[in-house]
Amino acid sequence: MTKKIVVFDSTLRDGAQGEEISYSVEDKWKIVEALDELGVDYIEAGNPGSNPKDLEFFHQIKENKLKHAKLVAFGSTRRMGKQVEDDANIQSLLNANTSTVAIFGKSWDFHVKNVIKTSLKENLEMIKESVSFFKKKGKEVIFDAEHFFDGVKSNPKFAFETLRAAVESGTDWLVLCETNGGAFPREVYEITKKVAKQFSVAIGIHCHNDGGMAVANTIMAVEAGATQIQGTFIGFGERCGNANLSTIIPNLQIKKGYECIPVNQMPRLTSTARYVAEVSNVALDTRMPYVGKSAFAHKGGMHVDGVIKVASSFEHLKPEKVGNERRFLMSEISGRSTILKKIQKIFPKLQKESPETQSIIDRLKELEHKGFQFEAAECSFELMVRKHLGKYKPFFQVENFTIIDEQPLQKGGISSSAIIKVNVDGKQEITAAEGDGPVNALDRALRKALEVFYPELTEMHLTDFKVRVLNPEEATAARVRVLIESTDGKDIWTTVGVSTDIIEASCIALVDSIEYKLLKDIEMKFKAFM
Ligand SMILES: [Zn+2]
């Protein structure tokens, strides 16, 4: 029988402690819903005692109707020298409206002596009283043994006593925390094994990634008997982050035969990861295992050739299993077969020998020579192929635009305005918009003008903007290449523009980006109709 591994996501608590990550209450609900939909079992949503935003979130929980996941409020054991009933943090945890609470206590003697500065005995009392308090109140308790692995290395007797204190007080889970993230897989395996031998309570594992080992450490703990994996969905967290659940889940489920999420949900893995990144306002690492944009991208001629013949020659699993897709990257080092594959995605009938194929390849070379690079901007390539073969009717035309640069205001923010005139089937629209810099102003003005004709454009926005100067030795004549990444919350796509003028290069990439969105939506509708 498949062994169930309980998935505990802490994106909204430990993840929110990552640099540059901050969630509004609305963002939190969006992520909760996405993780619930995927089939995550527990979602740690914050520390109600530590900040008012988290408190507000927990006050909204009453009405929550999640399909599967349980929400968890997080907090510490009671403060030293206090009665558990009088501890404000314990009270806010109790009032957080969750049936499950995660409470962390110290299990490393070094921390007890040097950080919270109390006796080992008092620390054990703090654990016992806090766990018993919540058990008496009818809560499910997840006890996080903070710094457990460092604790075992320093004073194993005491570290195990902290677990015993929690177990004797009725904890439902013992979570072993690799808080400083420096342990190695074998240590984690051996220590977890010892815990599993001594206690019959269910064990969880919580690893940080400071040594780049959080995923490996988590998997080793599962092999040693842990049945709950804690992490953050795309690895956010303090310092180098937490164990990345979007990597661990498919590793355990597809490779190791455990069940982490319902089998039929696995193809949602990639879109969930991208959605979490989107709500977090972070560009997902393209090289992230399983879910990254490059996870199944092939570039070298031999690799491409191999994958076309037998996908498994250079792929560890089929991308569709995790909802990702295979990509063949175009560049001078990739062969003709890569380009043909791309072309056939749009025009399946074209062959290697077709004159159109040769003509597209010639055009591609010409554009690459000018500085275009389609490897990271396949959508621009797709549009180029369609246009080149005369099979494309643009959705709109930019007739002209003007950018007015203003001095940055003292209060910050707006520094440019753009006025743009577009034409859609003979109808003109003129709009103006302000923005943080000229490209932002242009993007806003363009979309504002086009939303009149295409309301679906409200869903889309830019997520990344990269500029590269191509031949700096030519000083003012230098060309710039602009890569723009856009999203509509469902997909991410990249387009490219090249010019001697940065605004013009940006405009080319922006127009492609919008054209691609409109084309994609029409094709989706057409497919649904078929
Ligand atoms: Zn942590």
Side-chain angles (χ1 to χ4, degrees), residues 240-269:
C240 309
N242 286 54
N244 186 328
L245 289 175
S246 73
T247 309
I248 298 170
I249 291 170
N251 272 332
L252 286 176
Q253 188 150 328
I254 304 174
K255 303 282 181 73
K256 291 279 186 182
Y258 295 95
E259 187 180 328
C260 301
I261 56 172
V263 178
N264 60 345
Q265 293 296 73
M266 194 55 88
R268 300 179 74 106
L269 194 79

Coordinates of all heavy atoms in Angstrom, one line a residue, residues 240-269:
C240 N 18.6 31.3 3.4 CA 18.6 30.6 2.1 C 17.2 29.9 1.8 O 17.1 29.1 0.9 CB 19.7 29.6 2.0 SG 21.3 30.3 2.4
G241 N 16.3 30.0 2.7 CA 15.0 29.5 2.5 C 14.8 28.1 3.2 O 15.6 27.6 3.9
N242 N 13.5 27.7 3.0 CA 13.1 26.4 3.6 C 13.2 25.3 2.5 O 13.3 25.6 1.4 CB 11.7 26.5 4.1 CG 11.5 27.3 5.3 OD1 12.0 28.4 5.4 ND2 10.9 26.7 6.3
A243 N 13.0 24.1 3.0 CA 12.9 22.9 2.1 C 11.8 23.2 1.0 O 10.7 23.7 1.4 CB 12.5 21.7 2.8
N244 N 12.1 23.0 -0.2 CA 11.1 23.4 -1.3 C 10.2 22.2 -1.6 O 10.5 21.2 -2.1 CB 12.0 23.7 -2.6 CG 11.2 24.2 -3.7 OD1 10.0 23.8 -3.9 ND2 11.7 25.0 -4.5
L245 N 8.9 22.5 -1.2 CA 7.9 21.4 -1.4 C 7.6 21.0 -2.8 O 7.3 19.9 -3.1 CB 6.6 21.8 -0.7 CG 6.6 21.8 0.9 CD1 5.3 22.4 1.4 CD2 6.9 20.5 1.5
S246 N 7.8 22.0 -3.7 CA 7.5 21.7 -5.1 C 8.5 20.7 -5.7 O 8.3 20.1 -6.7 CB 7.3 22.9 -6.0 OG 8.6 23.6 -6.2
T247 N 9.7 20.6 -5.0 CA 10.7 19.6 -5.4 C 10.5 18.3 -4.6 O 10.6 17.2 -5.2 CB 12.1 20.2 -5.1 OG1 12.2 21.5 -5.7 CG2 13.2 19.2 -5.7
I248 N 10.2 18.5 -3.3 CA 10.1 17.3 -2.5 C 8.9 16.4 -2.9 O 9.0 15.2 -3.0 CB 10.0 17.7 -1.0 CG1 11.3 18.4 -0.6 CG2 9.8 16.4 -0.1 CD1 11.2 19.0 0.8
I249 N 7.7 17.1 -3.1 CA 6.5 16.3 -3.4 C 6.7 15.4 -4.6 O 6.4 14.2 -4.5 CB 5.3 17.3 -3.6 CG1 5.0 17.9 -2.2 CG2 4.1 16.5 -4.1 CD1 4.0 19.1 -2.3
P250 N 7.1 15.9 -5.8 CA 7.3 14.9 -6.9 C 8.4 13.9 -6.6 O 8.3 12.7 -7.1 CB 7.6 15.8 -8.1 CG 8.0 17.1 -7.6 CD 7.3 17.2 -6.2
N251 N 9.4 14.3 -5.9 CA 10.5 13.3 -5.6 C 9.9 12.2 -4.9 O 10.2 11.0 -5.2 CB 11.6 14.0 -4.8 CG 12.7 14.6 -5.7 OD1 12.9 14.2 -6.8 ND2 13.3 15.7 -5.2
L252 N 9.2 12.5 -3.8 CA 8.7 11.4 -3.0 C 7.6 10.6 -3.7 O 7.5 9.4 -3.6 CB 8.1 12.0 -1.6 CG 9.2 12.4 -0.6 CD1 8.4 13.1 0.6 CD2 10.0 11.3 -0.1
Q253 N 6.7 11.4 -4.3 CA 5.5 10.7 -4.9 C 5.8 10.0 -6.2 O 5.4 8.8 -6.4 CB 4.4 11.8 -5.1 CG 3.1 11.1 -5.5 CD 1.9 12.0 -5.1 OE1 2.0 12.6 -4.0 NE2 0.9 12.0 -5.8
I254 N 6.5 10.6 -7.1 CA 6.7 10.0 -8.4 C 7.9 9.0 -8.4 O 7.9 8.0 -9.0 CB 6.9 11.1 -9.5 CG1 5.7 12.0 -9.6 CG2 7.1 10.4 -10.9 CD1 5.8 13.2 -10.5
K255 N 9.0 9.4 -7.7 CA 10.2 8.6 -7.7 C 10.2 7.6 -6.6 O 10.8 6.5 -6.7 CB 11.4 9.5 -7.5 CG 11.6 10.6 -8.5 CD 12.1 10.1 -9.9 CE 12.3 11.1 -10.9 NZ 13.4 12.0 -10.7
K256 N 9.6 7.9 -5.4 CA 9.8 7.0 -4.3 C 8.5 6.3 -3.9 O 8.5 5.5 -2.9 CB 10.3 7.8 -3.1 CG 11.7 8.3 -3.2 CD 12.7 7.2 -2.9 CE 14.1 7.7 -2.9 NZ 15.0 6.5 -2.5
G257 N 7.4 6.6 -4.6 CA 6.2 5.8 -4.3 C 5.4 6.2 -3.1 O 4.6 5.4 -2.7
Y258 N 5.7 7.3 -2.5 CA 4.8 7.8 -1.4 C 3.6 8.5 -1.9 O 3.7 9.0 -3.1 CB 5.6 8.7 -0.4 CG 6.7 8.0 0.3 CD1 8.0 8.1 -0.2 CD2 6.5 7.3 1.5 CE1 9.1 7.5 0.5 CE2 7.6 6.7 2.2 CZ 8.9 6.8 1.7 OH 9.9 6.3 2.3
E259 N 2.6 8.8 -1.1 CA 1.5 9.7 -1.6 C 1.5 10.9 -0.8 O 1.3 10.9 0.4 CB 0.2 9.0 -1.6 CG -0.8 9.9 -2.2 CD -2.3 9.4 -2.2 OE1 -2.4 8.2 -2.3 OE2 -3.2 10.2 -2.2
C260 N 1.8 12.1 -1.4 CA 1.9 13.4 -0.7 C 0.6 14.1 -1.0 O 0.0 14.7 -0.2 CB 3.1 14.2 -1.2 SG 4.6 13.4 -0.9
I261 N 0.2 14.2 -2.3 CA -1.0 14.9 -2.7 C -1.8 13.9 -3.6 O -1.2 12.9 -4.1 CB -0.7 16.2 -3.5 CG1 0.2 15.9 -4.7 CG2 -0.1 17.2 -2.6 CD1 0.3 17.1 -5.7
P262 N -3.1 14.1 -3.8 CA -3.9 13.2 -4.6 C -3.2 13.0 -6.0 O -2.8 14.0 -6.6 CB -5.2 13.8 -4.7 CG -5.3 14.7 -3.5 CD -3.9 15.2 -3.2
V263 N -3.1 11.8 -6.4 CA -2.4 11.5 -7.7 C -2.9 12.4 -8.8 O -2.1 12.9 -9.6 CB -2.6 10.0 -8.0 CG1 -1.9 9.6 -9.3 CG2 -2.1 9.1 -6.9
N264 N -4.2 12.6 -8.9 CA -4.7 13.3 -10.1 C -4.4 14.8 -10.0 O -4.6 15.6 -10.9 CB -6.3 13.1 -10.2 CG -7.0 13.6 -8.9 OD1 -6.4 13.8 -7.9 ND2 -8.3 13.7 -9.1
Q265 N -3.9 15.3 -8.8 CA -3.5 16.7 -8.7 C -2.1 17.0 -9.1 O -1.7 18.2 -9.3 CB -3.7 17.1 -7.2 CG -5.1 17.2 -6.8 CD -6.0 18.2 -7.5 OE1 -6.3 18.0 -8.7 NE2 -6.3 19.3 -6.9
M266 N -1.3 16.0 -9.3 CA 0.1 16.2 -9.6 C 0.4 17.1 -10.8 O 1.2 18.0 -10.8 CB 0.9 14.9 -9.8 CG 2.4 15.0 -9.8 SD 3.0 15.8 -8.3 CE 3.2 14.4 -7.2
P267 N -0.5 17.0 -11.9 CA -0.3 17.9 -13.0 C -0.5 19.4 -12.7 O -0.3 20.3 -13.5 CB -1.3 17.4 -14.1 CG -1.5 16.0 -13.7 CD -1.5 16.0 -12.2
R268 N -1.0 19.7 -11.5 CA -1.2 21.1 -11.1 C 0.0 21.7 -10.5 O 0.0 22.8 -10.1 CB -2.4 21.2 -10.1 CG -3.7 20.7 -10.6 CD -4.7 20.9 -9.5 NE -5.0 22.3 -9.3 CZ -6.1 22.9 -9.7 NH1 -7.1 22.1 -10.2 NH2 -6.4 24.1 -9.6
L269 N 1.0 20.8 -10.3 CA 2.2 21.3 -9.5 C 2.8 22.5 -10.1 O 3.1 23.5 -9.4 CB 3.2 20.1 -9.4 CG 4.3 20.3 -8.4 CD1 3.8 19.9 -7.0 CD2 5.5 19.5 -8.8

